[in-house]
Amino acid sequence: MNFNLALPVGTTLDRFIMRKEKDFPYATGELSQLLRDIALAAKIVNREINRAGLLDVTGGFGQQNVQGEEQQKLDVIANIRFIRALRNGGEVCAIISEEEEEIIQTGNKKGKYIVAIDPLDGSSNIDVNVSIGTIFSIYRRKSETGCDGTLEDCLQNGTHQVAAGYIIYGSSTMLVYTTGNGVNGFTYEPSLGEFFLSHPDIKTPATGTVYSCNEGGVNSFPEGVKQYLNYCKESGYSGRYIGSLVADFHRNLLKGGIYIYPSTAKAPNGKLRLMYECNALGFIVEQAGGKASDGSRRILDIEPTELHQRCPLVIGSAEMVDKVEAFMKSEV
Ligand code: AHG
Ligand code: MN
Ligand code: MN
Ligand code: MN
């Protein structure tokens, strides 16, 4: 079966999804419809973001989320938009969201899928017009249909993802996703309201010369990470840190590079969340030939125990991740 039949650049997302669905003889179209529902919400959120400065939807919402973060208005708006699109689409029975403490039951008891989502990634950058994103993971429910999604349905390790993707609201808006047969990128044309295939079959370089890390916490980094950062500097690498995981990840995916958010004194388990940041990007990067680990374990193998659990993240070009792991190993 030819999973990677190259479709002409310029194919619309809808046509691409339909074409790929034909590659799966048992596909029933529900996952395809779910991907379309996510794309619809992305178009709506994209419009809100592009008008943020005019619609007074920047700034704080005036309450904290379960993470203890000051929610931004766009965090809340994006959360509402994606939950509504997934609820109305009918394919999803339950949702884990960064902005919701508990599992959101959509009421679609026949829905076969679970979605874990970071509705707006890089919230600290909303007010200063820097690229931000949305990150999502899709799992098949384990419980029988006909009832709400269960905690067990939601706490599946990353190897059970059936799809994962992100939207980057940047100089252009892109949707990048995988269903386990390669990674494809689609660029949004707002005047037509369509995503067009622009980056077919993305493969990330085996190595690179860019490292992304907030070194403000370096004094409390694990010794192995400190040594790796010194190695980057001695090797003349470039530091690039946008403060939006999706934007740093996307640049490194296309050009080669590594993103590191280690355990720190402030965040002993790291800052990033396993279910809707690390697992999704881990699936994508592996499908593109890269790697994702917590410094010693493959991200996708980590067994989740809590909806919002955090883990250290080392993600990007395979040889660079290997190097960090070697330094981490030598520290013990
Ligand atoms: P979110 O906005 O979804 O809470 O995620 C923010 C994350 C990630 O996007 C970014 O790389 C990181 O937090 C930045 O953290 P620091 O400000 O500690 O560097
Ligand atoms: Mn995030
Ligand atoms: Mn977020
Ligand atoms: Mn947040």
Side-chain angles (χ1 to χ4, degrees):
M1 211 171 299
N2 182 343
F3 284 123
N4 277 316
L5 176 70
L7 289 167
V9 170
T11 299
T12 64
L13 176 62
D14 266 4
R15 180 181 293 275
F16 184 89
I17 291 173
M18 246 179 330
R19 178 74 189 77
K20 289 297 180 181
E21 186 184 306
K22 290 198 181 76
D23 291 346
F24 293 91
Y26 311 109
T28 56
E30 285 132 332
L31 179 60
S32 301
Q33 187 49 49
L34 171 45
L35 290 168
R36 289 189 192 93
D37 296 338
I38 288 174
L40 172 62
K43 294 175 186 176
I44 295 167
V45 169
N46 180 66
R47 187 188 57 195
E48 312 271 4
I49 287 170
N50 289 345
R51 300 190 301 186
L54 301 170
L55 292 179
D56 183 26
V57 292
T58 58
F61 180 62
Q63 65 185 41
Q64 285 199 347
N65 61 14
V66 65
Q67 324 286 338
E69 301 164 343
E70 284 309 312
Q71 280 183 311
Q72 300 300 298
K73 287 177 192 160
L74 269 176
D75 279 327
V76 175
I77 290 170
N79 189 46
I80 291 167
R81 293 292 190 183
F82 276 99
I83 290 174
R84 186 180 302 163
L86 294 173
R87 177 176 283 126
N88 295 344
E91 307 304 347
V92 172
C93 63
I95 299 166
I96 310 172
S97 165
E98 181 202 349
E99 305 304 335
E100 300 288 345
E101 181 158 4
E102 305 302 336
I103 296 169
I104 294 286
Q105 300 294 348
T106 62
N108 301 320
K109 297 183 187 295
K110 290 200 170 38
K112 291 182 183 163
Y113 295 100
I114 303 286
V115 169
I117 190 163
D118 176 359
L120 209 295
D121 172 73
S123 308
S124 61
N125 283 323
I126 292 170
D127 291 1
V128 293
N129 210 16
V130 169
S131 299
I132 47 184
T134 297
I135 309 171
F136 64 90
S137 256
I138 303 175
Y139 294 85
R140 197 170 284 105
R141 74 186 297 169
K142 296 165 82 171
S143 59
E144 289 304 309
T145 57
C147 53
D148 282 345
T150 64
L151 184 62
E152 201 201 353
D153 285 333
C154 293
L155 292 182
Q156 300 183 54
N157 77 37
T159 63
H160 291 107
Q161 293 175 90
V162 292
Y166 61 86
I167 296 102
I168 177 167
Y169 312 99
S171 46
S172 66
T173 292
M174 278 190 69
L175 169 66
V176 178
Y177 82 94
T178 182
T179 55
N181 290 290
V183 180
N184 291 282
F186 299 79
T187 298
Y188 186 52
E189 173 43 69
S191 64
L192 299 175
E194 285 281 9
F195 281 99
F196 290 90
L197 180 65
S198 54
H199 296 66
D201 199 20
I202 296 173
K203 292 295 174 209
T204 195
T207 191
T209 58
V210 168
Y211 65 98
S212 306
C213 183
N214 176 354
E215 296 191 68
V218 71
N219 293 338
S220 64
F221 283 2
E223 206 43 47
V225 173
K226 287 183 191 172
Q227 288 169 10
Y228 178 73
L229 294 174
N230 288 334
Y231 167 80
C232 291
K233 291 162 190 164
E234 287 152 14
S235 309
Y237 289 4
S238 301
R240 291 283 184 277
Y241 191 71
I242 300 169
S244 287
L245 170 60
V246 167
D248 281 314
F249 175 82
H250 183 70
R251 180 204 52 246
N252 294 346
L253 181 74
L254 298 185
K255 305 282 186 194
I258 191 163
Y259 176 102
I260 304 173
Y261 207 111
S263 62
T264 67
K266 255 185 358 185
N269 294 318
K271 173 181 183 181
L272 300 170
R273 283 58 54 121
L274 176 63
M275 293 313 292
Y276 38 81
E277 289 170 316
C278 303
N279 269 340
L281 299 183
F283 187 18
I284 292 166
V285 81
E286 288 193 359
Q287 283 289 312
K291 282 192 174 181
S293 101
D294 68 354
S296 57
R297 290 176 300 173
R298 181 188 180 214
I299 290 288
L300 299 192
D301 288 338
I302 296 176
E303 283 305 328
T305 52
E306 289 160 38
L307 296 176
H308 300 288
Q309 77 186 64
R310 299 173 191 264
C311 66
L313 180 64
V314 180
I315 189 168
S317 296
E319 290 172 18
M320 298 178 89
V321 173
D322 288 344
K323 194 92 181 162
V324 176
E325 291 187 340
F327 275 112
M328 295 287 280
K329 219 175 267 170
S330 63
E331 88 172 35
V332 293

